[in-house]
Amino acid sequence: MQRTFWGRIAPALTLMLLAPLMAELLPGATRFSSIFVFPVELVVWGGGAVMIRALVRRRGLGWWNLVLLGLALALAEECLIQQTSLAPLVIQLKHEVWARAFGVNYVYLIWALVYETAWVTLLPVLLAEMLFPGRREEVWLSRAGAIVVGLLFALGCLLAWFSWTHIARVQVFHLPLYTPPLPAVIVSLAGILALIWAGLKLHSAPPRPSTPPSLWLLCPAGAIWAILWYGLCLLAFGIQPSVPPAAAVGGALALTAAIVALLPGWAASPRWRPAHDYALILGALSGSMAVSFVGFVGAPAPDLWFKIVCDAVALLLLLLFGRRLAGRRDGAQSGAAAAG
């Protein structure tokens, strides 16, 4: 089938938009008062997600490779681009330094690596492929498109680095300019390169299928995960300095280990359907949007109303997509029954 230019690039553009929407705008990290940074997020987060997916699909790799490359992007953001896991945090809710050692905000780093891998790469890719099911196996990015997206990504990284480290930290938060020590830069680069190598080279064995939970359990489970992970972010900003950092690290690792142990087996089951993917996304995104209103207590009215409207529109669109997805399933079942 002959497609127009916009038809060809529609899946990639959709993924490019979904990544910063789901990771930044809908949870309220990007507010109306700072919406001018969204184009930068679009080319860094969105461009990164599109290039990662293209590499994985072009090489015939799987979701674990997507995870590893998503981790590489998150590590680059945290340690090299905006350096938020290395520089002293700009927000200390109780004005105390908490969970920082050897020049690393280690609880914040754990939160950011998992959050950004999930919300910038995994969930946006999953949702984009659900929106374009007939093009799931396509790369979505031509060589010319890869050059354009790669150049925009590089420019966006430069702008994100300068605007955060030299403008926001210094002029908005009135903190001294931070330059990461050379050993931290070297270790970060080594980690990024190792993750990229692993993401492109490793082939994991298929997981052992296990019976997935019902949709009515999976959806709230996704919401609970999003809420708990937001709580880890609040802890990282020092909302409760009396909590031992080791407890936060242990809880975060245990929760992540449980997801890694259970979710791949569920998804490998023949009982896993697109409705399960949808329930997971609906629950996680709803939980993320709802719990992040905590950060808007006392916020300026334009910021609050912007979040309310954006979240309401996103939820409505997601519910309408769920209805359309159910229609697809019913149509497929009717077709199968007629064929039988």
Side-chain angles (χ1 to χ4, degrees):
M1 182 180 67
Q2 193 71 21
R3 295 191 181 100
T4 65
F5 171 76
W6 293 108
R8 290 196 302 272
I9 68 173
L13 283 180
T14 300
L15 175 56
M16 200 167 183
L17 181 62
L18 284 175
L21 274 178
M22 296 174 71
E24 301 283 354
L25 194 141
L26 296 178
T30 298
R31 304 187 177 199
F32 181 72
S33 56
S34 59
I35 195 63
F36 56 86
V37 305
F38 190 75
V40 176
E41 296 167 348
L42 193 69
V43 294
V44 175
W45 285 144
V50 169
M51 290 190 294
I52 286 171
R53 185 196 174 278
L55 281 171
V56 169
R57 293 294 177 260
R58 192 181 300 277
R59 291 170 173 260
L61 303 172
W63 283 95
W64 280 118
N65 305 88
L66 206 69
V67 170
L68 292 168
L69 293 174
L71 276 171
L73 176 61
L75 189 60
E77 168 74 9
E78 289 305 311
C79 297
L80 298 182
I81 301 173
Q82 292 195 316
Q83 305 162 3
T84 39
S85 289
L86 298 181
L89 291 173
V90 299
I91 299 175
Q92 295 175 358
L93 296 175
K94 294 295 179 68
H95 307 289
E96 294 184 28
V97 176
W98 185 82
R100 180 174 174 82
F102 304 104
V104 178
N105 308 311
Y106 55 91
V107 170
Y108 182 86
L109 177 62
I110 293 172
W111 169 81
L113 291 180
V114 175
Y115 179 84
E116 291 165 9
T117 300
W119 288 104
V120 172
T121 304
L122 294 179
L123 292 177
V125 167
L126 180 60
L127 181 55
E129 291 188 346
M130 292 180 70
L131 290 169
F132 297 91
R135 302 179 65 180
R136 187 185 298 267
E137 302 303 321
E138 296 180 16
V139 176
W140 294 0
L141 197 63
S142 65
R143 291 182 179 176
I147 293 173
V148 172
V149 174
L151 290 174
L152 289 174
F153 174 79
L155 177 61
C157 289
L158 180 62
L159 290 173
W161 166 77
F162 185 81
S163 62
W164 179 258
T165 61
H166 286 65
I167 298 177
R169 282 188 60 89
V170 177
Q171 299 181 20
V172 177
F173 294 99
H174 307 292
L175 294 172
L177 186 67
Y178 173 82
T179 301
L182 183 59
V185 173
I186 294 173
V187 171
S188 300
L189 277 172
I192 293 165
L193 293 175
L195 286 168
I196 293 174
W197 179 87
L200 295 178
K201 296 296 184 181
L202 295 187
H203 293 267
S204 58
R208 178 179 297 178
S210 58
T211 303
S214 72
L215 301 177
W216 301 107
L217 290 177
L218 191 62
C219 185
I224 290 171
W225 172 80
I227 292 169
L228 290 175
W229 212 251
Y230 185 83
L232 183 66
C233 181
L234 292 180
L235 284 175
F237 285 130
I239 194 172
Q240 193 58 258
S242 61
V243 174
V249 171
L253 295 180
L255 181 59
T256 303
I259 294 172
V260 169
L262 294 173
L263 190 56
W266 292 344
S269 170
R271 296 185 181 182
W272 187 274
R273 307 188 308 276
H276 289 86
D277 293 325
Y278 174 77
L280 187 63
I281 293 172
L282 177 62
L285 188 56
S286 299
S288 175
M289 292 190 299
V291 71
S292 55
F293 275 103
V294 171
F296 281 76
V297 175
D303 285 345
L304 177 60
W305 281 106
F306 181 72
K307 176 171 167 57
I308 290 172
V309 172
C310 289
D311 288 1
V313 171
L315 184 59
L316 175 62
L317 291 175
L318 200 55
L319 291 173
L320 289 175
F321 175 63
R323 184 176 180 182
R324 178 183 171 188
L325 192 66
R328 286 183 196 167
R329 184 178 69 248
D330 294 341
Q333 290 174 347
S334 298

